[in-house]
Structure formats: structure tokens, C-alpha cells
Amino acid sequence: MISVEGVTKRYGTVTAVDGLSFTVDRGEVVGFLGPNGAGKTTTMRMITGTLQPDEGSVLFDGVPIMDGLTEAKQRVGYLPESNPLYDEMLVAEYLEHVADLRGLSAADRRTGITNAVDETDLGAVFYRPISECSKGYRQRIGLAGAILHHPEVLILDEPTEGLDPNQRVEIRRLIGSLGRERTVLLSTHVMQEVEATCSRLVILSRGKLAAEGSVQELLANRTGGIRYIVEAQGTGVTEALAGLAGVSGYETFAVEGRVRVQLDAATDEDLRPAIFEMAKDSGWTLWELHRERASLEQVFRNLTSELPGESEKEPAAASEGAPNGMSEGEPGGATDDEADAASLEVSS
Ligand SMILES: Nc1ncnc2c1ncn2[C@@H]1O[C@H](COP(=O)(O)OP(=O)(O)OP(=O)(O)O)[C@@H](O)[C@H]1O
Ligand SMILES: [Mg+2]
């Protein structure tokens, strides 16, 4: 349904998106992942038609969106990053305002608002000022605005960013239900986010496609790696383990006279016999030896971690413990946000 074909976007000397291609099929809920600055927002703005690619194109059902921008925009609902809302408006006024921007007829506006309020469960705050609404409700308001015109496609840019854990669960559930009858592309840099919600993941690193597939496929991926936990007492434990064939990385911790070493393996071959032999030959006391499959979060880190010296930005701490409300470091001003909210203008 959505094809992103060889899309590149530069901001001056920064290549934000670099020859990116992927597809989203009808009815899918696809997670769009990448560390801060990977190019998620830039890509999403090109899919919604608010930003024009320098190279390549975005197609809906085989038709380049730039060939029929008005029609393409009618098919897409967009929740921009940081969800810009007008605090001074009542929820009802805001939804009327979005309906105005969309140019909905009186009848479409009535059914659009009624359905959106119903789907996002906003009845309780409908006549409240937006400034009095919690962050969770604000996201619901943004989602209601995005679905007013009955779009088949939803583009949601970090919809759970800045929410507390309970609100996150609620919004994820809401996205799941909105996604039952729509095609959804949802961005996040929190890996756990997507396990419950998404049927497939597209992972971006520095503007390029790093991986694509279902959670199971990515976990089974060779590059995901296997991890060993070894706790031992003896001399030269860390150095010897780190030098073992098949080990691609390690972390070590001192534990009461012993060392606990976490080894990342670049091979599927089971290294436990070799580790056991090493312990025996070196006269170590072995307290623990344990093999585990990499978590989705490790897969994400392996796929997107920056090489030393190449990073212009800190790679994301892709952990659930990441503080909420982190700054996004995005220079886009109010003009951008307004264009996003209305999704009616094209900038280049
Ligand atoms: N309006 C802009 N002008 C200049 N550079 C920009 C602009 N918007 C984004 N960039 C740069 O383009 C790159 C990709 O940014 P983008 O916002 O698309 O990433 P992102 O994956 O959405 O990141 P985040 O997780 O922080 O939201 C970054 O290096 C960013 O600094
Ligand atoms: Mg972004």
C-alpha cells in the first residue's frame, strides 16, 4: 500500500534520510524504529506529503503521492512528533478547527468528530480546555484529530513519548484498536513498545534501512547474537574470555572477589564447552555459566549502534528506563508544527 522507494532527504550538509526503501502493506501495523536523529520524523513527513524528498518517491498503491497530493493527504492521518495542540482551545473547538483545516462538509464534520471522540474515548473531556488535559488525554486528542477525516493510513510519530507507564499501555491499546481497520506506521525509539503492537518492524540507522521483519525474524537473525554470562574466580578471567574465538564484545563487573563477564557472541555455535574447558585448564572456580538469546533491545543496539568517531549525535539509550520527556533536539519551529498539524502544505 505504501512504498518508500529510494528516498533521500538532505538538510544542508546533513543527509537525514539516505536512499531508503521499504513497504507497508494494507492492514499492517508497522513499527518504525531508530535512535534519535536516525531520520524517522523526516521519513514520516515525506510519507504524509508535508516534506518533499530530494531523491526517490513515496507511492500509495503504486501512484507517487506528489502526483495527487490532495487525494494522498485525504488518505492519511498524521500524529506529529510532540503533538502540537492549542492549549487555549476546548477539545471540541480543537477538533472543529482540525475539521476546518481538512475542509470537511458540515455532515462529514459531525460524523467525523462523533466517531473520532467515540474511538478515542474523549467524551469525558470534550468540553474541557486542552490545557487541563493530562498527557495521555492530549495524545488521545491528537489521535482523534488524525482520524477525523476517516483516513485509511495512520502515521504516528512517537505516540507514547513522554507518557507514564500506565498511559503508555492505554495509548498502545488504543493504537491497537485503531489499527484493526487501518494501516499504521508508528515510530518509536523504545524497543519494548513494538513487541505488543506491531506485526512488522522497519529499523533505521543514520538514514538507512538497518533491518526489516517481524519480531521473531529479527530475534532469529544471526546478527542478533547470543549472550553468555560467566561468573568465575581466578586470574586473567576477563582477558581470556574476551579473547575466545566467536566472542564479539564483553562487559565485566567485579563481584566479591570474582568477576562476572557478559559476552556477546558472533556465532550460533554453543561456546559453553569451550568456556568450561578454559575454566578447567586455567584453574578457575566457575560460579555460573549461562547462555541466552539476545533480547529485541540488544538486536536493536547491534543494528543501530554507531561506530566510534562516526557519531555526530549520541546513539539512543534504547531502554525502557529512558527518561520520559527527553528533548528531541529538533530545530523545527511552530511553522513546521502547524504544517504538520494541518498536513496541508508542502515544504522542501
Ligand atoms: N529542519 C531540519 N533542519 C536541519 N536538520 C534537520 C532538520 N530536521 C531534522 N534534521 C536532522 O536530520 C536528521 C534526522 O532527523 P529526524 O528528526 O528525522 O530523526 P528522528 O529519527 O525523528 O529522531 P528523534 O528520535 O530524535 O525524533 C538529524 O541529524 C537531524 O538533526
Ligand atoms: Mg523524530
Side-chain angles (χ1 to χ4, degrees):
M1 167 154 210
I2 305 172
S3 302
V4 173
E5 293 190 350
V7 162
T8 294
K9 180 71 197 177
R10 298 181 199 92
Y11 295 108
T13 55
V14 176
T15 304
V17 176
D18 192 358
L20 179 65
S21 301
F22 65 90
T23 57
V24 180
D25 292 337
R26 191 175 299 278
E28 276 192 308
V29 177
V30 171
F32 193 38
L33 285 132
N36 291 127
K40 302 181 295 293
T41 299
T42 304
T43 305
M44 290 180 132
R45 296 187 69 206
M46 290 190 282
I47 296 173
T48 57
T50 46
L51 195 63
Q52 213 172 341
D54 294 324
E55 286 160 37
S57 52
V58 178
L59 299 90
F60 282 176
D61 295 330
V63 180
I65 58 167
M66 287 300 164
D67 289 358
L69 200 53
T70 313
E71 199 230 346
K73 285 186 173 187
Q74 268 157 16
R75 298 175 64 182
V76 179
Y78 180 30
L79 180 71
E81 188 169 40
S82 78
N83 184 15
L85 298 173
Y86 297 98
D87 274 357
E88 65 283 4
M89 287 186 183
L90 305 180
V91 174
E93 287 170 341
Y94 175 74
L95 295 178
E96 292 282 346
H97 170 69
V98 176
D100 275 345
L101 291 174
R102 285 274 170 203
L104 297 189
S105 69
D108 286 347
R109 162 188 310 243
R110 240 189 338 271
T111 51
I113 293 179
T114 308
N115 291 343
V117 166
D118 192 38
E119 274 204 79
T120 56
D121 206 6
L122 276 180
V125 298
F126 192 61
Y127 292 109
R128 288 257 190 90
I130 291 177
S131 57
E132 288 178 15
C133 294
S134 69
K135 191 86 210 276
Y137 266 115
R138 294 175 74 92
Q139 290 306 81
R140 286 171 187 274
I141 297 163
L143 286 166
I147 61 172
L148 270 192
H149 58 295
H150 306 292
E152 320 153 58
V153 177
L154 282 181
I155 307 290
L156 312 177
D157 198 353
E158 309 226 17
T160 59
E161 187 63 20
L163 300 182
D164 73 31
N166 293 332
Q167 292 170 334
R168 269 176 193 264
V169 170
E170 267 178 45
I171 293 298
R172 258 182 238 158
R173 194 175 300 145
L174 176 56
I175 292 168
S177 93
L178 295 177
R180 272 202 287 275
E181 286 172 10
R182 299 177 181 91
T183 303
V184 180
L185 181 67
L186 115 98
S187 79
T188 174
H189 54 256
V190 182
M191 208 64 198
Q192 288 82 354
E193 194 78 23
V194 294
E195 288 198 75
T197 330
C198 302
S199 51
R200 205 158 56 80
L201 311 183
V202 171
I203 302 184
L204 201 59
S205 178
R206 281 176 282 167
K208 294 192 163 97
L209 185 73
E212 194 177 356
S214 68
V215 170
Q216 287 71 23
E217 283 164 351
L218 290 171
L219 282 175
N221 189 325
R222 282 168 287 115
T223 59
I226 305 276
R227 194 158 78 154
Y228 295 85
I229 311 291
V230 186
E231 197 171 307
Q233 194 166 13
T235 43
V237 171
T238 305
E239 297 71 23
L241 288 171
L244 195 68
V247 169
S248 59
Y250 71 97
E251 261 182 87
T252 185
F253 315 89
V255 189
E256 299 167 6
R258 325 194 272 265
V259 282
R260 188 174 174 83
V261 187
Q262 206 172 283
L263 300 170
D264 292 323
T267 168
D268 275 345
E269 183 200 339
D270 198 329
L271 297 179
R272 282 175 298 186
I275 295 170
F276 179 75
E277 285 301 320
M278 181 179 270
K280 204 170 62 175
D281 294 348
S282 317
W284 302 338
T285 309
L286 197 56
W287 294 82
E288 187 178 336
L289 173 55
H290 169 69
R291 179 183 199 255
E292 61 190 25
R293 208 162 247 300
S295 66
L296 202 50
E297 192 178 313
Q298 285 168 280
V299 174
F300 176 81
R301 277 216 301 270
N302 288 351
L303 286 167
T304 61
S305 62
E306 311 262 347
L307 298 171
E310 270 191 46
S311 164
E312 87 183 78
K313 255 182 135 173
E314 281 288 296
S319 93
E320 69 209 302
N324 287 337
M326 282 187 335
S327 106
E328 294 299 324
E330 178 150 12
T335 334
D336 270 6
D337 286 350
E338 292 229 319
D340 280 350
S343 192
L344 292 172
E345 285 166 31
V346 183
S347 53
S348 55

